Amino acid sequence: MSDIRLDNITAAAVASFDGVPDARRRELLQQLVQHLHAYAKATRLTHDEWRAALAFLHRAGDISSANRSEFSLLSDVLGLSSLVDLLASTPGATPGSVLGPFHTVGSPWCENPADLTRDNPGEVVLLRGRVHGPQGQPLSDATLDFWQNAANGLYWQMDDSQPPDNLRCQLKVDAAGRFAIRTIRPQPYQIPTDGPAWHDVVPSAGRSAWRPAHYHLIVQAPAHRTLVTELFDAADPYLASDAVFGVRAALVRRYETTPDADVPVMDIDIVLAAA
Ligand code: BEZ
Ligand code: FE
């Protein structure tokens, strides 16, 4: 007969996962139990609060679909997504930042330099840079997957007025690791606030739902760690209050006027860590 009490329930629940064969999976499960129990004990969690939390998770599941993950948004607004990005970042390499919900696999390949401006309204700008390894060597085999929002703040998936794949592309860097994308200056926008991740969790804190204007990039090169990151506009008013904690000083860049370009230029050196 067992006698489960307040002073032994955590140890019992942790030990119940001792038989998980994979050591990492066992650690993840046992630490989860430890920390959930510690949270309930520290807050003296009540039945009403526990039921409310379960109902919240049900609502998050109900609103989720193939095109929307409310759990991912919850992770974003709690800072968990950004924490995982920071844990995976390598000192000396360009830091990672949130993937967000608007990446789609298989964007069209375009020439390098690329021109994504097409019929888009807004300020034309040039994003250009160089991809290199930790010793400064150009990574001539690197590829970029790029996406951003339009001048109205919307990604093409949210906006019927934009053609599919608007303001996104994949490209190969040149032999010196360089790339250039002529595009429209992205704009700040609000993360979705119509679901439980936002309206059941955040508003009482008086937080803003705005994200500062940014480009999204996934940079890959053989024998190097894939980088999922963002580049932010130094002039943006929401840099200090990003709703999902994605801003890092190394990712904030100014648009400059330079004699070699007819539009404002944002320059970035991207450093990939060795695999
Ligand atoms: C985005 O960058 O597009 C984004 C990130 C997190 C939540 C919502 C949107
Ligand atoms: Fe975004």
Side-chain angles (χ1 to χ4, degrees):
M1 188 189 81
S2 69
D3 180 21
I4 296 295
R5 303 178 309 272
L6 195 55
D7 67 354
N8 69 6
I9 185 166
T10 302
V14 167
S16 73
F17 291 101
D18 280 349
V20 174
D22 179 76
R24 177 62 177 160
R25 194 178 164 84
R26 187 166 66 246
E27 180 185 17
L28 290 171
L29 288 166
Q30 293 187 320
Q31 287 286 335
L32 178 66
V33 170
Q34 287 275 12
H35 285 84
L36 278 176
H37 283 224
Y39 173 82
K41 286 175 188 165
T43 59
R44 303 294 304 181
L45 192 69
T46 67
H47 275 114
D48 282 352
E49 291 160 346
W50 169 75
R51 268 193 294 271
L54 295 186
F56 164 76
L57 292 175
H58 273 279
R59 286 195 296 281
D62 287 343
I63 202 172
S64 293
S65 66
N67 299 324
R68 173 172 189 158
S69 170
E70 195 69 3
F71 295 104
S72 160
L73 193 58
L74 178 63
S75 161
D76 295 340
V77 298
L78 294 179
L80 179 62
S81 313
S82 253
L83 172 60
V84 175
D85 293 334
L86 291 168
L87 287 168
S89 290
T90 309
T94 301
S97 185
V98 278
L99 174 69
F102 298 113
H103 176 251
T104 42
V105 176
S107 282
W109 285 92
C110 53
E111 295 299 311
N112 176 25
D115 186 349
L116 301 182
T117 54
R118 300 195 184 102
D119 294 331
N120 284 283
E123 183 185 0
V124 178
V125 293
L126 186 67
L127 173 67
R128 70 181 181 192
R130 201 170 70 107
V131 181
H132 47 96
Q135 273 78 47
Q137 73 280 25
L139 297 180
S140 55
D141 290 338
T143 58
L144 253 65
D145 192 344
F146 170 91
W147 68 107
Q148 64 163 95
N149 66 4
N152 63 2
L154 301 176
Y155 289 85
W156 70 269
Q157 298 97 325
M158 313 156 73
D159 181 8
D160 290 341
S161 74
Q162 295 180 47
D165 292 326
N166 194 32
L167 296 170
R168 64 178 53 222
C169 70
Q170 299 185 78
L171 59 78
K172 293 181 198 304
V173 301
D174 70 13
R178 285 180 309 226
F179 64 90
I181 303 172
R182 190 176 174 91
T183 186
I184 299 297
R185 189 171 184 163
Q187 296 298 315
Y189 71 100
Q190 290 189 283
I191 63 168
T193 55
D194 59 338
W198 182 262
H199 63 70
D200 291 10
V201 178
V202 188
S204 60
R207 273 169 53 178
S208 146
W210 286 92
R211 295 216 65 207
H214 56 271
Y215 300 108
H216 289 276
L217 292 168
I218 300 177
V219 190
Q220 292 181 288
H224 290 79
R225 292 182 67 172
T226 295
L227 175 69
V228 178
T229 196
E230 303 179 281
L231 299 174
F232 296 91
D233 180 346
D236 193 281
Y238 299 107
L239 283 175
S241 57
D242 181 8
V244 301
F245 310 98
V247 179
R248 334 255 176 261
L251 302 177
V252 179
R253 283 283 181 282
R254 217 163 267 296
Y255 290 97
E256 310 278 3
T257 307
T258 76
D260 62 342
D262 60 341
V263 295
V265 180
M266 181 184 281
D267 264 310
I268 176 79
D269 266 349
I270 293 172
V271 184
L272 296 188

